[in-house]
Amino acid sequence: MVKSYLRYEPALSFGVIASVEGNIAYDSSGKHLLTPALEKVGVWHVRQGICTKTLAPSTSSSRSGPSLAVTSIAPSPSSSSLVAVGYADGSIRIWDSEKGTCETTLNGHKGAVTVLRYNKPGALLASGSKDNDVILWDVVGETGLFRLRGHRDQVTDLVFLESTKKLVSSSKDKFLRVWDLETQHCMQIISGHHSEIWAMDADPEERYLVTGSADPEIRFYTIKHDSENTQAISNEKGAVIVNSGDMPTQNKWEVLKLFGEIKRQSKDRVATVRFDKSGSLLACQVAGKTVDIFHVLGDVVASRKAKRRLHRKKEKKSAKGALGTTESKEDTKHASEEDGNTPTVTVSDVFKHLQTVRAGKKICSISFSPITPKNSLATLALSLNNNLLEFYSIESSTTTKTLAIELQGHRSDVRSVTLSSDNTLLMSTSHNAVKIWNPSTGSCLRTIDSDYGLCGLIIPQNKYAFVGTKSGKIEVIDIGSGTCIDTLEAHGGPVRSIAALPNENGFVTGSADHDVKFWEYQIKQKPGQDSKNLVLSNARAMKMNDDVLVVVVSPDAKYIAVALLDCTVKVFFLDSFKFFLSLYGHKLPVLCMDVSSDGDLIVTGSADKNLKIWGLDFGDCHKSLFAHGDSVMAVQFVRNTHYMFSVGKDRLVKYWDADKFELLLTLEGHHADVWGLAISSRGDFLVTGSHDRSLRRWDRTEEPFFIEEEKEKRLEEMFEADIENAFENKHVPREELPEEGAVALAGKKTQETLSATDLILDALDVAEVELKRIAEHQEENTKGNVTEYQPNVIMRGLSPSNYVLHAFTNVHTNDLEQTLLALPFSDGLKLLSYFKDWTSNPDKVELVCRLATVLLQTHYNQLVTTPAARPVLTLLKDILYERVKECKDTLGFNLAAMDHLKQLMASRSDALFRDAKAKLLEIRSQQSKRLEARTDTREEKQRKKKKKTSSDMHALTGF
């Protein structure tokens, strides 16, 4: 009989607050902060500081692992619940953050999604990727509109210009490109940056666009609106913005014009530039620990600053003229300005450096809160590279840290994980803290400051735990109070391994100082203390001839196995320390090992990527298995079985049968090296800890599986991966794109689109056969041979037309274009013949129009030259226009009805029917103006005071 095993599935992932690959973003309500957490998105309630929901893709619908890492997040401006999330495999998912469900999946990019941007109404979504392409998506229709090509390196940022219907893209190729969304072409290419452009943003009023790179300056551009044509951009006080005067005819296509540059304080490259929602603040985050905050002054204040600057220059010039000095180049430059008494507003007049926010660690991303607090200008959220979120209140003179979310995760990688004997507690160690978790819920119960913990042990009753550190100390931790009650100088080198002694109050430690030490613990009352505490004492020691890496005690307490740096494993009798066996065969040091519950087998994992299974009776090697693609970091038997789990630096968890020497399962999910492994005493779950700072729980299910089936599944996955690589045509040289950019289809060919094409072809063939049978039956009836017609059971009672239509309902909207592209012309012609019947259903008019458009674009030349297609096309021309007009009239009628209802509500209410968002923006604008006025008054007082001091000094000294 074939042996079956029970499957293990990923159940829970916890410990990650914010990963470094993606950006953080507030939702439109400002109550929640969306953070990337490896393959998930965490929805954090800002005021409560708790994660209320996680958005995780289902493992059944797609592959898990590093390919699913979240790389970009963009909340919808029109809905507080919809969020667009880009992933490392190039897919984009639209989530409903309130329900926690994935609304749709958009596939088009071949590389990781680097940036996502919604337009203001929230109907369009632009995405940029490492494949150098920009794709525009219709969010409502759940489909790609077109692909924009032209950049020579990955796209780093995107900005919609709503007033001009343009899209601006930045790239690591040092260029900005302005795309016309109506004509779908690149209308302007802007150079000038000397290094990669990493970020850009435009203010809400679309007056300025700012870009950041590794250059020492931030560059600012003015945005030309369609209404301006060739007029200069000027403010209400008559101040002309520099570099944007009367534009010649040849520059009428210039949407962006250089405004100026501001020198940055930091030498690090710019990572993010963002305006707040009101447009009064600009944040410039560098790839370091600082964020520069600039105050965006209004036209009135900027004009006054320009006038004051002009006045100071005149005073300076007159003073120099009195002393007989020559005028400087700068004065010559503004000579025309002074003659005409027209102040020119420069970039320093509009953007004033307010202050600098300094964090304790490197900042990964920033996000302004859309809600402005009463007592401050704005709230800024930061995600740091040590798995931490910080919130700062930006005020006019100071910056205050208001909140930090840090308890739910380690600051660095998880080095070891340990389960308690009853599986109710989980302990993880890191470089500066020990955390106690509830493994069933993933909640953090205790956080204890610690040294760099390399290994740990929880003793029975779950009251105390021991941690072996890199500095050679053993820390005694009281789990109940969450404190370190004692620290012992145990070894002269790092404590690499700790193992409990069965049926005794003691444990063994192994260290790099060549010592193996045995410890005993007792609950005693120390002199001078009121309460009883755990007292630890060294019982005996054993000296080895090399660094000790791992120590394991057999379950029957008969043997102790010690792995040394010389790639061997020494086995001794535990009671007498007498040498028993030497296990040698690994080419690199053994990093982990374990003994089975019955004491028959010992398994060793090494840096040479191999697992070796040995018999503990004679020390013979039963089997050597090539286990992982990198070093094996931990291995452990499931209790009372010969099944075992291993983890490695190749990010994988593997399940083995040590009797048959077979790989049973490969569990993917971690995004970095896996360091630690702990299996429950019943074997119903295991926990792994990784360099990606996550802890993952894998549960045993009731689903059985067989070894042969798993082997076939792995071969199929390898085959599908080869097919996907063939789709990408990696070895075919990519054709050179024209300099002005090009447009292409948004979707991409995948296994799903090919499967959908096959289903449609099958449906067309079945429907054609059925139509012939119906025609033959009718012919027989006309001849007088009346028989009962037996429909095809495969069609499930549907007519041939409806059966083909049903095949299209299973095709994802985003995959429709690529599915039709794979259809042969003959089948496309068959498909056109069904459109007349489908248009009678008003709900299917949009689908028919899309299908007809794609088929006409794809097979235009063949359709024009095929006589059989002309009657079909002529019929469709009349029907489709009529049906589309009916749908348009219905929509217009509904819109007019809603407008009428709005007027009725406004007439019946005393208050005006006003948009709440517009009212909010008006309040923020008034606050910004008041702040500008206060700033202007303060500066005027300082200037007058300085002038008075200068005149007093002149009166006293005569100079």
Side-chain angles (χ1 to χ4, degrees):
M1 185 177 176
V2 180
K3 187 173 182 180
S4 66
Y5 303 85
L6 292 179
R7 188 179 298 277
Y8 283 81
E9 295 281 359
L12 186 64
S13 174
F14 53 97
V16 179
I17 300 171
S19 52
V20 298
E21 292 88 1
N23 64 295
I24 60 172
Y26 275 95
D27 66 353
S28 57
S29 68
K31 294 180 181 178
H32 298 94
L33 184 71
L34 307 163
T35 65
L38 302 178
E39 76 279 4
K40 301 189 299 183
V41 175
V43 183
W44 293 84
H45 194 287
V46 176
R47 185 172 294 178
Q48 297 174 0
I50 59 172
C51 186
T52 57
K53 199 175 291 292
T54 55
L55 312 177
S58 62
T59 53
S60 59
S61 62
S62 56
R63 293 178 298 173
S64 58
S67 61
L68 269 181
V70 174
T71 54
S72 183
I73 298 174
S76 172
S78 60
S79 171
S80 61
S81 61
L82 289 182
V83 184
V85 181
Y87 294 85
D89 62 351
S91 64
I92 300 167
R93 288 175 173 81
I94 310 295
W95 292 89
D96 188 322
S97 59
E98 290 181 358
K99 299 177 184 176
T101 56
C102 179
E103 300 294 314
T104 184
T105 302
L106 308 172
N107 289 307
H109 288 293
K110 296 177 182 177
V113 178
T114 53
V115 57
L116 292 171
R117 280 286 184 116
Y118 276 98
N119 67 342
K120 285 183 182 175
L124 296 179
L125 175 69
S127 63
S129 168
K130 286 185 178 180
D131 61 8
N132 310 348
D133 292 345
V134 177
I135 298 181
L136 198 70
W137 305 90
D138 179 1
V139 179
V140 179
E142 299 180 0
T143 182
L145 299 178
F146 48 84
R147 181 191 302 265
L148 301 171
R149 285 177 169 167
H151 283 295
R152 297 294 188 271
D153 208 335
Q154 76 174 50
V155 180
T156 54
D157 216 339
L158 297 167
V159 170
F160 277 99
L161 302 180
E162 300 289 339
S163 57
T164 56
K165 295 182 180 178
K166 306 291 189 297
L167 177 71
V168 186
S169 61
S170 66
S171 170
K172 288 174 70 176
D173 62 7
K174 308 177 187 177
F175 292 107
L176 291 174
R177 285 178 177 266
V178 181
W179 306 86
D180 190 319
L181 297 181
E182 292 182 333
T183 59
Q184 301 173 15
H185 79 285
C186 179
M187 60 182 299
Q188 187 182 3
I189 301 174
I190 300 157
S191 60
H193 287 277
H194 303 293
S195 58
E196 296 96 338
I197 306 172
W198 287 98
M200 67 174 175
D201 199 18
D203 67 318
E205 295 178 4
E206 295 183 4
R207 295 182 303 163
Y208 308 107
L209 183 133
V210 56
T211 61
S213 66
D215 298 345
E217 308 89 14
I218 312 172
R219 294 171 75 92
F220 294 84
Y221 297 87
T222 54
I223 301 171
K224 187 190 79 171
H225 298 267
D226 288 342
S227 59
E228 293 166 2
N229 294 327
T230 57
Q231 299 295 322
I233 301 173
S234 57
N235 60 27
E236 59 195 42
K237 288 292 181 179
V240 182
I241 295 177
V242 74
N243 290 334
S244 61
D246 294 334
M247 298 181 184
T249 309
Q250 61 266 26
N251 292 338
K252 67 179 181 178
W253 301 110
E254 288 190 1
V255 177
L256 300 179
K257 190 83 172 176
L258 183 64
F259 183 31
E261 298 175 345
I262 292 181
K263 196 84 174 176
R264 295 193 292 114
Q265 296 179 353
S266 174
K267 294 181 180 178
D268 297 315
R269 71 166 177 87
V270 174
T272 314
V273 287
R274 287 292 179 266
F275 286 91
D276 69 337
K277 194 168 184 179
S278 64
S280 60
L281 293 178
L282 170 67
C284 173
Q285 174 230 331
V286 300
K289 300 180 181 180
T290 60
V291 180
D292 291 322
I293 307 294
F294 294 89
H295 187 206
V296 185
L297 303 177
D299 293 337
V300 178
V301 179
S303 178
R304 287 177 186 169
K305 285 188 72 174
K307 286 180 180 178
R308 286 199 298 269
R309 190 184 68 252
L310 177 61
H311 184 65
R312 286 196 298 270
K313 286 184 181 296
K314 284 183 177 179
E315 287 182 349
K316 188 177 179 182
K317 185 177 178 182
S318 61
K320 285 183 179 179
L323 294 170
T325 57
T326 59
E327 64 179 7
S328 65
K329 292 181 182 178
E330 197 171 351
D331 294 328
T332 307
K333 179 182 174 182
H334 294 282
S336 60
E337 173 187 317
E338 293 167 11
D339 294 339
N341 291 324
T342 305
T344 302
V345 176
T346 62
V347 66
S348 58
D349 297 329
V350 180
F351 296 91
K352 177 190 173 185
H353 186 268
L354 194 64
Q355 54 195 287
T356 301
V357 180
R358 299 185 185 278
K361 287 289 182 180
K362 187 177 177 181
I363 302 169
C364 293
S365 66
I366 61 172
S367 179
F368 273 112
S369 172
I371 299 175
T372 306
K374 293 181 180 178
N375 302 323
S376 62
L377 302 178
T379 300
L380 186 68
L382 311 179
S383 73
L384 308 186
N385 72 340
N386 63 341
N387 199 24
L388 181 65
L389 290 175
E390 290 184 345
F391 298 85
Y392 288 85
S393 176
I394 311 296
E395 299 169 13
S396 55
S397 56
T398 59
T399 302
T400 310
K401 185 164 83 170
T402 56
L403 177 66
I405 298 176
E406 57 185 346
L407 293 178
Q408 288 85 350
H410 282 287
R411 302 284 77 76
S412 68
D413 54 339
V414 180
R415 287 309 301 258
S416 73
V417 288
T418 310
L419 281 167
S420 61
S421 56
D422 59 358
N423 308 322
T424 57
L425 294 179
L426 171 70
M427 181 174 72
S428 60
T429 63
S430 181
H431 80 295
N432 67 347
V434 173
K435 287 185 178 287
I436 308 296
W437 307 83
N438 182 343
S440 60
T441 61
S443 57
C444 182
L445 307 177
R446 298 282 187 274
T447 300
I448 305 105
D449 292 334
S450 165
D451 202 351
Y452 200 130
L454 297 177
C455 53
L457 175 69
I458 300 176
I459 65 172
Q461 286 87 45
N462 300 344
K463 291 185 178 180
Y464 299 98
F466 304 106
V467 176
T469 67
K470 196 173 183 178
S471 59
K473 299 175 183 176
I474 294 179
E475 297 179 344
V476 182
I477 292 171
D478 187 334
I479 296 175
S481 62
T483 57
C484 178
I485 58 174
D486 197 6
T487 302
L488 279 80
E489 296 285 348
H491 289 274
V495 181
R496 303 240 177 231
S497 180
I498 186 168
L501 291 172
N503 307 319
E504 292 184 32
N505 289 340
F507 59 90
V508 189
T509 57
S511 169
D513 63 357
H514 302 190
D515 283 345
V516 175
K517 292 189 176 181
F518 292 77
W519 304 84
E520 292 180 351
Y521 55 85
Q522 293 179 341
I523 309 295
K524 286 184 180 180
Q525 184 172 347
K526 289 184 178 179
Q529 290 185 355
D530 297 334
S531 60
K532 291 183 178 181
N533 280 322
L534 186 139
V535 178
L536 192 62
S537 59
N538 185 12
R540 49 184 179 157
M542 184 167 56
K543 193 73 175 177
M544 308 304 294
N545 56 6
D546 211 335
D547 291 10
V548 178
L549 300 180
V550 193
V551 175
V552 169
V553 179
S554 62
D556 57 4
K558 187 176 181 181
Y559 304 111
I560 178 171
V562 182
L564 303 177
L565 194 61
D566 61 4
C567 309
T568 64
V569 176
K570 308 291 186 188
V571 183
F572 300 90
F573 288 100
L574 185 62
D575 51 358
S576 63
F577 291 166
K578 184 180 177 181
F579 177 76
F580 176 52
L581 291 172
S582 179
L583 311 177
Y584 55 90
H586 283 290
K587 296 176 182 177
L588 290 173
V590 173
L591 303 177
C592 54
M593 59 182 176
D594 193 27
V595 179
S596 61
S597 301
D598 56 8
D600 290 344
L601 300 177
I602 179 170
V603 59
T604 56
S606 167
D608 63 8
K609 311 174 189 177
N610 290 326
L611 284 174
K612 288 185 183 292
I613 302 169
W614 315 76
L616 202 52
D617 45 2
F618 300 110
D620 55 323
C621 181
H622 291 182
K623 189 70 173 178
S624 181
L625 302 167
F626 181 73
H628 289 270
D630 210 330
S631 302
V632 183
M633 300 308 299
V635 64
Q636 191 174 339
F637 279 102
V638 178
R639 192 171 179 181
N640 298 326
T641 69
H642 282 182
Y643 307 146
M644 61 185 183
F645 283 92
S646 66
V647 299
K649 283 188 176 181
D650 60 355
R651 308 174 180 181
L652 300 177
V653 181
K654 294 194 175 183
Y655 184 32
W656 306 85
D657 186 339
D659 289 332
K660 293 188 175 182
F661 316 123
E662 291 277 5
L663 172 63
L664 304 179
L665 283 177
T666 300
L667 305 175
E668 297 182 2
H670 281 291
H671 295 242
D673 309 350
V674 187
W675 292 106
L677 166 70
I679 304 176
S680 68
S681 57
R682 295 187 297 273
D684 54 343
F685 72 90
L686 67 145
V687 180
T688 54
S690 169
H691 183 71
D692 61 15
R693 303 187 181 119
S694 72
L695 293 154
R696 292 176 187 267
R697 196 185 83 225
W698 316 79
D699 285 358
R700 186 175 63 200
T701 64
E702 296 301 319
E703 179 190 353
F705 70 92
F706 303 95
I707 295 177
E708 292 302 322
E709 288 181 358
E710 287 302 309
K711 284 182 180 178
E712 288 177 9
K713 192 182 292 185
R714 284 195 287 271
L715 287 172
E716 285 177 7
E717 287 174 359
M718 289 172 62
F719 178 68
E720 288 178 5
D722 290 340
I723 291 177
E724 288 180 6
N725 291 337
F727 289 158
E728 294 176 10
N729 294 323
K730 290 182 177 179
H731 305 293
V732 177
R734 188 169 178 177
E735 58 180 318
E736 281 296 316
L737 297 171
E739 190 62 32
E740 65 272 10
V743 67
L745 291 175
K748 71 173 181 179
K749 190 186 292 184
T750 61
Q751 189 71 30
E752 288 78 14
T753 60
L754 286 184
S755 300
T757 305
D758 290 339
L759 288 173
I760 291 169
L761 288 172
D762 291 342
L764 287 170
D765 292 341
V766 171
E768 187 180 13
V769 172
E770 188 70 7
L771 284 172
K772 286 181 180 178
R773 288 185 62 223
I774 292 173
E776 290 172 358
H777 177 70
Q778 290 175 349
E779 188 178 348
E780 290 291 328
N781 286 345
T782 54
K783 291 179 180 179
N785 300 328
V786 180
T787 56
E788 186 179 354
Y789 177 71
Q790 296 293 332
N792 192 345
V793 292
I794 297 175
M795 301 182 66
R796 292 171 291 181
L798 298 173
S799 66
S801 175
N802 289 338
Y803 182 69
V804 178
L805 180 61
H806 181 73
F808 278 96
T809 58
N810 298 324
V811 181
H812 194 276
T813 315
N814 183 44
D815 297 334
L816 204 56
E817 273 186 346
Q818 293 293 332
T819 302
L820 291 173
L821 283 176
L823 277 179
F825 172 68
S826 58
D827 291 288
L829 202 56
K830 293 177 189 175
L831 193 60
L832 283 170
S833 63
Y834 292 106
F835 287 178
K836 179 188 174 184
D837 296 336
W838 296 353
T839 51
S840 59
N841 186 350
D843 295 339
K844 302 300 179 184
V845 172
E846 184 182 352
L847 174 64
V848 173
C849 289
R850 285 195 61 197
L851 294 175
T853 305
V854 175
L855 288 174
L856 286 170
Q857 289 175 343
T858 308
H859 305 292
Y860 177 76
N861 293 327
Q862 294 95 321
L863 287 170
V864 170
T865 55
T866 304
R870 290 175 186 173
V872 180
L873 293 175
T874 307
L875 184 65
L876 284 177
K877 178 185 174 185
D878 299 331
I879 293 176
L880 284 179
Y881 277 112
E882 185 182 344
R883 294 288 184 270
V884 170
K885 188 177 182 303
E886 288 176 3
C887 291
K888 188 177 177 183
D889 292 343
T890 305
L891 290 172
F893 180 83
N894 290 337
L895 287 171
M898 286 189 286
D899 191 47
H900 178 64
L901 288 172
K902 175 181 171 181
Q903 292 174 2
L904 284 176
M905 291 173 68
S907 63
R908 292 174 183 174
S909 174
D910 295 334
L912 292 173
F913 191 92
R914 299 185 64 184
D915 192 357
K917 291 184 179 178
K919 179 68 177 175
L920 190 63
L921 285 172
E922 184 182 335
I923 293 171
R924 286 175 180 162
S925 177
Q926 291 173 359
Q927 290 176 346
S928 178
K929 286 179 180 178
R930 284 199 295 270
L931 177 66
E932 289 172 2
R934 287 201 299 270
T935 307
D936 184 43
T937 308
R938 194 183 302 117
E939 288 182 354
E940 189 69 27
K941 287 180 180 179
Q942 290 176 352
R943 193 178 64 80
K944 287 180 179 179
K945 186 177 180 182
K946 188 175 180 181
K947 189 174 181 181
K948 185 176 183 302
T949 308
S950 178
S951 61
D952 291 343
M953 289 294 292
H954 178 72
L956 288 171
T957 59
F959 293 103

Short mmCIF file of all heavy atoms in Angstrom, two decimals, residues 87-88 136 217 435 446 521 532 594 759 881 910 929:
data_model
loop_
_atom_site.label_atom_id
_atom_site.label_comp_id
_atom_site.label_asym_id
_atom_site.label_seq_id
_atom_site.Cartn_x
_atom_site.Cartn_y
_atom_site.Cartn_z
N TYR A 87 3.22 44.45 -6.85
CA TYR A 87 4.03 43.36 -6.32
C TYR A 87 5.30 43.17 -7.15
O TYR A 87 5.41 43.66 -8.28
CB TYR A 87 3.22 42.07 -6.27
CG TYR A 87 2.07 42.12 -5.29
CD1 TYR A 87 0.84 42.65 -5.67
CD2 TYR A 87 2.20 41.66 -4.00
CE1 TYR A 87 -0.22 42.71 -4.78
CE2 TYR A 87 1.15 41.70 -3.10
CZ TYR A 87 -0.05 42.23 -3.49
OH TYR A 87 -1.09 42.29 -2.60
N ALA A 88 6.22 42.39 -6.60
CA ALA A 88 7.51 42.17 -7.24
C ALA A 88 7.40 41.33 -8.50
O ALA A 88 8.31 41.34 -9.32
CB ALA A 88 8.47 41.51 -6.25
N LEU A 136 -1.22 52.48 -18.36
CA LEU A 136 -2.40 53.18 -17.85
C LEU A 136 -3.55 52.19 -17.77
O LEU A 136 -3.86 51.50 -18.76
CB LEU A 136 -2.76 54.36 -18.77
CG LEU A 136 -3.67 55.40 -18.14
CD1 LEU A 136 -2.91 56.18 -17.06
CD2 LEU A 136 -4.21 56.37 -19.17
N GLU A 217 21.12 69.29 -5.77
CA GLU A 217 20.01 70.24 -5.78
C GLU A 217 18.68 69.52 -6.03
O GLU A 217 18.64 68.44 -6.62
CB GLU A 217 20.17 71.29 -6.89
CG GLU A 217 21.49 72.02 -6.91
CD GLU A 217 22.53 71.31 -7.76
OE1 GLU A 217 22.15 70.41 -8.54
OE2 GLU A 217 23.73 71.64 -7.61
N LYS A 435 11.69 38.54 22.57
CA LYS A 435 10.24 38.74 22.54
C LYS A 435 9.54 37.41 22.83
O LYS A 435 9.96 36.36 22.36
CB LYS A 435 9.78 39.29 21.19
CG LYS A 435 10.14 40.76 20.99
CD LYS A 435 9.56 41.31 19.71
CE LYS A 435 9.89 42.78 19.56
NZ LYS A 435 9.11 43.63 20.48
N ARG A 446 5.47 39.91 25.55
CA ARG A 446 6.53 40.55 26.34
C ARG A 446 7.68 40.95 25.42
O ARG A 446 7.99 40.25 24.45
CB ARG A 446 7.07 39.61 27.43
CG ARG A 446 6.07 39.17 28.47
CD ARG A 446 5.83 40.29 29.50
NE ARG A 446 4.99 39.80 30.58
CZ ARG A 446 3.66 39.80 30.56
NH1 ARG A 446 3.04 40.22 29.47
NH2 ARG A 446 2.96 39.36 31.59
N TYR A 521 19.72 24.53 37.60
CA TYR A 521 18.97 25.67 38.12
C TYR A 521 18.02 25.20 39.22
O TYR A 521 17.50 24.08 39.19
CB TYR A 521 18.20 26.39 37.01
CG TYR A 521 17.26 25.51 36.22
CD1 TYR A 521 15.96 25.26 36.66
CD2 TYR A 521 17.67 24.94 35.00
CE1 TYR A 521 15.10 24.46 35.92
CE2 TYR A 521 16.81 24.14 34.26
CZ TYR A 521 15.52 23.91 34.73
OH TYR A 521 14.67 23.11 34.01
N LYS A 532 11.41 34.31 46.10
CA LYS A 532 12.26 33.26 45.57
C LYS A 532 12.53 33.51 44.09
O LYS A 532 11.64 33.91 43.35
CB LYS A 532 11.59 31.89 45.74
CG LYS A 532 11.49 31.43 47.18
CD LYS A 532 10.89 30.04 47.25
CE LYS A 532 10.82 29.53 48.69
NZ LYS A 532 10.26 28.17 48.77
N ASP A 594 20.07 17.10 15.08
CA ASP A 594 19.02 16.67 16.01
C ASP A 594 19.02 15.15 16.08
O ASP A 594 19.45 14.47 15.14
CB ASP A 594 17.66 17.19 15.56
CG ASP A 594 16.59 17.06 16.64
OD1 ASP A 594 16.98 17.07 17.83
OD2 ASP A 594 15.40 16.95 16.31
N LEU A 759 -10.27 27.47 -24.19
CA LEU A 759 -11.68 27.30 -23.83
C LEU A 759 -12.59 27.92 -24.87
O LEU A 759 -13.64 27.35 -25.22
CB LEU A 759 -11.94 27.94 -22.45
CG LEU A 759 -11.36 27.21 -21.23
CD1 LEU A 759 -11.54 28.05 -19.97
CD2 LEU A 759 -12.03 25.85 -21.05
N TYR A 881 -23.71 50.89 -33.38
CA TYR A 881 -23.90 52.33 -33.16
C TYR A 881 -25.22 52.62 -32.48
O TYR A 881 -25.32 53.46 -31.58
CB TYR A 881 -23.84 53.07 -34.50
CG TYR A 881 -22.42 53.37 -34.96
CD1 TYR A 881 -21.88 52.74 -36.07
CD2 TYR A 881 -21.63 54.30 -34.28
CE1 TYR A 881 -20.58 52.99 -36.49
CE2 TYR A 881 -20.34 54.57 -34.69
CZ TYR A 881 -19.81 53.92 -35.80
OH TYR A 881 -18.54 54.18 -36.19
N ASP A 910 -31.91 74.28 4.46
CA ASP A 910 -31.44 75.65 4.68
C ASP A 910 -29.98 75.79 4.28
O ASP A 910 -29.55 76.83 3.78
CB ASP A 910 -31.61 76.04 6.16
CG ASP A 910 -33.09 76.08 6.55
OD1 ASP A 910 -33.92 76.29 5.64
OD2 ASP A 910 -33.39 75.88 7.74
N LYS A 929 -3.07 80.57 4.61
CA LYS A 929 -2.90 82.03 4.42
C LYS A 929 -2.59 82.72 5.74
O LYS A 929 -1.78 83.65 5.80
CB LYS A 929 -4.17 82.61 3.79
CG LYS A 929 -4.31 82.26 2.30
CD LYS A 929 -5.59 82.84 1.72
CE LYS A 929 -5.71 82.48 0.24
NZ LYS A 929 -6.96 82.99 -0.35
#
